[in-house]
C-alpha cells in the first residue's frame, strides 16, 4: 500500500466517523444513553480477528449485547499456558459481567488454519509470536488427521476450523471462572462455524463432533428449557 492509498483509507474511515456522529448516533441516542454508564452483555463471543467476520452482523445484535474477544484463529489457551489478554477477558466476562453464554466461532478460509495445515517456515520465521500462538491449536490438527499440503483445500480448512473450535471449548473448561460457572449451571458453552461465502452458520455438537443446523440447535435448547421448567398445578 502506498502512502497515498494509506491516507485515502484513513480519510474514508474518518468520513465513516462523521456519518456515525451525524446520522447513526442521533438515531440511537436512547440506546447509547443507557450504555453510557454500564454494560451488561449476555454473551462472550470469541471470534477470529479476520476482517470478514462481523459478530454483531452475524448475530443481528446491538451495541451492549456482546462482549467480543477476537484473536488469530479464535484461540483460547488452556489456563496457565498463556495468561494474558485472552484469560483476563474470559475471567472479566464471567466474574464481573456475569455472562451466561460463551460462543467460540470459527470460519471458512481461516488463515490460521491454513498455516497449521500447510506451514510455511519462511513466513512463520518472520512471525515468531504467531507461530507460538498457533501451538494452542495443534491438537485440533491431530484430530482432523494428518493432511498433506496438497490436501489443504476449503473442506480440509473447514474440518480443521471446526475441530479447532471444539478444542478451544475444551480449553475454556480449564479456566477456573468458567469451570465454577458451569458447575453452578450458570453458563452455556457453544461452538459455531461461519461460512463466509454462503453466510451459513452451523452449531458444533461436542458429543458427536459434528455440525447441526441452527434451527435444530434452537429446537434442542427449547426442548431442554421445557424439560427443566417446574411443573405447574
Amino acid at each position: 500500500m502506498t502512502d497515498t492509498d494509506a491516507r485515502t483509507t484513513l480519510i474514508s474511515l474518518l468520513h465513516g466517523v462523521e456519518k456515525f456522529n451525524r446520522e447513526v448516533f442521533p438515531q440511537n441516542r436512547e440506546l447509547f444513553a443507557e450504555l453510557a454508564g454500564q454494560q451488561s452483555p449476555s454473551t462472550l463471543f470469541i471470534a477470529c480477528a479476520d476482517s470478514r467476520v462481523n459478530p454483531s452482523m452475524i448475530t443481528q445484535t446491538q451495541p451492549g449485547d456482546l462482549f467480543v474477544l477476537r484473536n488469530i484463529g479464535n484461540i483460547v489457551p488452556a489456563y496457565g499456558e498463556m495468561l494474558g489478554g485472552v484469560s483476563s477477558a474470559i475471567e472479566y466476562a464471567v466474574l464481573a459481567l456475569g455472562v451466561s453464554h460463551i460462543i467460540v466461532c470459527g470460519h471458512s478460509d481461516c488463515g490460521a488454519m491454513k498455516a497449521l495445515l500447510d506451514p510455511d517456515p519462511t513466513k512463520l520465521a518472520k512471525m515468531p509470536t504467531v507461530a507460538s500462538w498457533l501451538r494452542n491449536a495443534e491438537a485440533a490438527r491431530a484430530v482432523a488427521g494428518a493432511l498433506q499440503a496438497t490436501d489443504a483445500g476449503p473442506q480440509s480448512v473447514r474440518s480443521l476450523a471446526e475441530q479447532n473450535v471444539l478444542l478451544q471449548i475444551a480449553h475454556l473448561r480449564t479456566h477456573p471462572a468458567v469451570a465454577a460457572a458451569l458447575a453452578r449451571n450458570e453458563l452455556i458453552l457453544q461452538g459455531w462455524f461461519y461460512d463466509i461465502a454462503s453466510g451459513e452458520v452451523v452449531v458444533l455438537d461436542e458429543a458427536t463432533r459434528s455440525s447441526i443446523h441452527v434451527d435444530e440447535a434452537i429446537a434442542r435448547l427449547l426442548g431442554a428449557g421445557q424439560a427443566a421448567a417446574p411443573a405447574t398445578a
Side-chain angles (χ1 to χ4, degrees):
M1 178 179 289
T2 67
D3 183 58
T4 300
D5 290 337
R7 285 199 303 272
T8 300
T9 299
L10 184 54
I11 290 170
S12 178
L13 292 175
L14 292 171
H15 280 314
V17 173
E18 286 184 328
K19 181 177 181 180
F20 172 78
N21 288 329
R22 184 177 61 252
E23 300 177 18
V24 178
F25 183 86
Q27 293 171 4
N28 295 274
R29 191 178 300 277
E30 291 185 7
L31 171 62
F32 288 112
E34 293 175 3
L35 296 174
Q38 63 178 357
Q39 62 168 326
S40 56
S42 63
T43 303
L44 168 59
F45 197 99
I46 302 175
C48 184
D50 192 296
S51 62
R52 299 166 294 179
V53 179
N54 187 322
S56 294
M57 183 177 288
I58 293 170
T59 58
Q60 288 296 284
T61 48
Q62 294 293 316
D65 292 338
L66 301 179
F67 190 69
V68 180
L69 171 60
R70 304 185 69 162
N71 61 54
I72 301 296
N74 43 272
I75 286 172
V76 178
Y79 189 77
E81 289 295 315
M82 284 186 169
L83 291 179
V86 172
S87 299
S88 60
I90 292 167
E91 190 172 79
Y92 183 79
V94 175
L95 296 181
L97 298 178
V99 298
S100 53
H101 315 92
I102 301 180
I103 293 169
V104 180
C105 183
H107 67 95
S108 60
D109 195 46
C110 180
M113 299 303 102
K114 288 180 177 180
L116 278 172
L117 283 174
D118 185 17
D120 185 331
T122 302
K123 288 184 178 179
L124 290 177
K126 298 176 182 177
M127 297 184 287
T129 307
V130 172
S132 177
W133 180 250
L134 290 179
R135 294 191 189 106
N136 293 291
E138 279 289 346
R141 182 171 65 169
V143 173
L147 300 173
Q148 300 297 320
T150 53
D151 296 327
Q155 290 305 312
S156 298
V157 173
R158 173 168 183 158
S159 176
L160 180 54
E162 291 179 347
Q163 296 304 324
N164 179 57
V165 166
L166 295 173
L167 173 65
Q168 305 315 320
I169 289 179
H171 287 172
L172 268 170
R173 297 180 189 279
T174 69
H175 289 248
V178 173
L182 288 171
R184 295 191 298 266
N185 292 318
E186 295 175 353
L187 188 64
I188 296 174
L189 307 183
Q190 194 170 75
W192 293 4
F193 177 85
Y194 167 55
D195 184 79
I196 295 170
S198 68
E200 180 188 31
V201 174
V202 295
V203 176
L204 303 176
D205 187 307
E206 285 187 85
T208 63
R209 303 193 75 84
S210 61
S211 62
I212 61 174
H213 292 294
V214 169
D215 55 356
E216 183 178 349
I218 292 172
R220 288 187 186 184
L221 289 168
L222 289 173
Q226 292 170 356
T232 57

